[in-house]
Amino acid sequence: TSSLTLHPSTHVFFSLTFHLSCALRSYSFILFFFFLMIRRPPRSPLSSSSAASDVYKRQRHVAPPAQAILPTYVALDRMVLRFFGYFKEAVHESRLENFRVRKVTLLYYLEDNTIQVNEPEQRNSGIMQGGKLAFLRRHAIPKGGGEFFSVADFSLGSDVTFYGRTFRVVDCDEFTATFLQQNGFEIGTPEEYPYNPFDVHYTATKEREKMTRGASSVKTDELIHWTEAMLGRPTNLIQEDKLSQFLEYDRKVLRWFARDEELNPKLYGMVLHYTIHYYLSDDTIEVVEKRAPNSGRDPWSRLLARQKLPIDYTKPGRREFYSAADFKIGDCINVYGRRLLLCDCDEFTTAFMEFNFGLKKTDPIRIEMNDGVDPPKSQLPHYSGFGSEEDSLGSFYHLVPKKPKENWAKFLQNDKKNLRFLAMLETGHPEDGNRLFIVTYELSNDAINVYEPPQRNSGNMGGKWMERTHVKNPATGENYRPHELYVGATMEFRKHKFKLLEADEFTLRYMERNKYPNSDLTLIISKLKDKFRQQSGMIRKTFKAIDKDNSAGLDAKEFRAVLERFNFDLTDQEVISVMRTFDPDADGTVRYDEFVDAVIGPDYYHTPAN
């Protein structure tokens, strides 16, 4: 193969090209490193020494930022100058006026120097005004010569002409006046609106209408209401302002008490009573019937559901409804043909009517639930004698008979505690004069049973004379109670009268411990004290006269004779209680010295008479 040989000049060219490319690469690396050093942020003081940080801070110089200039549409955004003015419009076919003054509002938008002219709404003008309708839409209005209207063209008392119509500026709002003063513009002098013949004629016409048929408005006059509705006026402007009324009177209700005026109690047997609720938030009325128990009427919840109540429900067309001013004690309201007489009201209603209408509360009309004929009272059926009377009454009080409730606390406290008495029959038959009975009263359930002990050759078999049952006291009509049984009492069982002669020891102790009226010694002695102290001089003589055996003591029979001398009427049970107290040895005698000490006191022996 042949070797490639280069020209010496060619070799020099390649050598220079190689060295030049290397130099360019080195220069590019140096520029890149220098650029990084310039853009490198300063070190944090936490990662460097304080001396290096101070040097960096001394060498650093920051230029103050230039002040920003806002564009006009941003600086003057939503700033509007408002001027008030008018223009005159010629009227050709009217004998009352030859021109009319129409008021306008001129709005100048500073952000783009545009102008809009609005005409406020005027009632019954027949012209589309107000709302979103603009007399002249917003745009930049030219004034000739290639120029447009600016702020300098508006001042009070000046005329501006837009498209051949001249407007007179008479006033402006406070913001507009302040803006013009701060920017060196001339404001001018405010002016009044000129004379308008139509205003004088319209005012005189309305005064005459008010004198003839009263004040009319869109809320009261049917013709005006219909006309405004046909023109498309919003309903919230035609009707009353319900929101403010709701916010002021929410949850405030007037309450009246009424009765049916037309129902005759003699004919129907009763008078119906009602409660009328008047809701102030929306002027609605609710009538609720007050039902008496067991009246036999259907349980309707309301006579009238909550709604507006018309004064005359038979009138066609637009109706008038009851308001709070129509309610007064003694007046009647018509609830769809039913007249209700207002009898009374509560305290809140009284205060509201007096504060808002100046109506003071008069004397309320008597209203009672039992007006008319009293309903018949059911009579208790006669006790058949089968089972207990409480059990028999269960089928009278309830459709499904219920078991009588028992007093378990009383049963557990008095279980197996019985009061026993020895009794005899009070009868005119001599064969029954010697019959003795044991009357047992059970304290646990107030039941009484009568047992006759068998006696030989008496002719009576003996045994249970009356099963355990509840017995009614003929004098009270209630069941016998424990305090009604005592020695000497007469009781009636099954149309037979029994006289209690004696009581056992447990019965006497129980009656004394529980302070029964005929066994309370404190009560008995207090009765004896007053009588004995009045006749203290005769006590010893009387006791000695009765004590014929000079034993210085009296038995039960002698002690009762002493009481009869002093006109004391103590029962046998009270005599037994006294004998048990002053006869501790139970020998059947009472020493009258001890008795006198207890009843009269020790002063009895120290008196000269004794």
Side-chain angles (χ1 to χ4, degrees), residues 272-285:
L272 302 182
H273 301 83
Y274 301 92
T275 301
I276 302 176
H277 296 148
Y278 186 94
Y279 295 87
L280 295 172
S281 60
D282 54 359
D283 298 324
T284 54
I285 297 176

Side-chain angles (χ1 to χ4, degrees), residues 234-262:
T235 307
N236 60 340
L237 299 179
I238 299 176
Q239 303 295 341
E240 295 84 355
D241 189 3
K242 297 182 178 180
L243 179 59
S244 61
Q245 181 182 0
F246 173 80
L247 296 177
E248 183 178 0
Y249 296 109
D250 184 28
R251 298 186 180 183
K252 294 181 179 180
V253 183
L254 305 182
R255 184 170 62 170
W256 298 84
F257 305 104
R259 57 184 292 179
D260 200 325
E261 186 189 29
E262 298 181 352

Side-chain angles (χ1 to χ4, degrees), residues 197-258:
F198 176 77
D199 291 342
V200 178
H201 173 68
Y202 181 79
T203 303
T205 303
K206 285 300 177 182
E207 289 294 336
R208 288 194 299 269
E209 290 181 359
K210 187 181 297 185
M211 294 176 61
T212 56
R213 63 174 184 174
S216 62
S217 65
V218 70
K219 301 176 183 178
T220 58
D221 191 279
E222 296 183 2
L223 179 61
I224 299 176
H225 186 277
W226 180 84
T227 305
E228 295 292 342
M230 291 298 295
L231 291 175
R233 190 173 186 183
T235 307
N236 60 340
L237 299 179
I238 299 176
Q239 303 295 341
E240 295 84 355
D241 189 3
K242 297 182 178 180
L243 179 59
S244 61
Q245 181 182 0
F246 173 80
L247 296 177
E248 183 178 0
Y249 296 109
D250 184 28
R251 298 186 180 183
K252 294 181 179 180
V253 183
L254 305 182
R255 184 170 62 170
W256 298 84
F257 305 104

Side-chain angles (χ1 to χ4, degrees), residues 8-22:
S9 60
T10 304
H11 180 75
V12 172
F13 175 76
F14 278 107
S15 177
L16 291 174
T17 303
F18 174 75
H19 288 292
L20 181 61
S21 61
C22 292

Side-chain angles (χ1 to χ4, degrees), residues 123-149:
R123 290 183 54 189
N124 300 326
S125 64
I127 305 174
M128 304 297 287
Q129 302 169 329
K132 297 182 180 180
L133 299 175
F135 184 82
L136 185 63
R137 293 180 179 272
R138 176 182 175 182
H139 65 286
I141 302 177
K143 65 177 181 178
E147 297 181 356
F148 295 89
F149 281 96

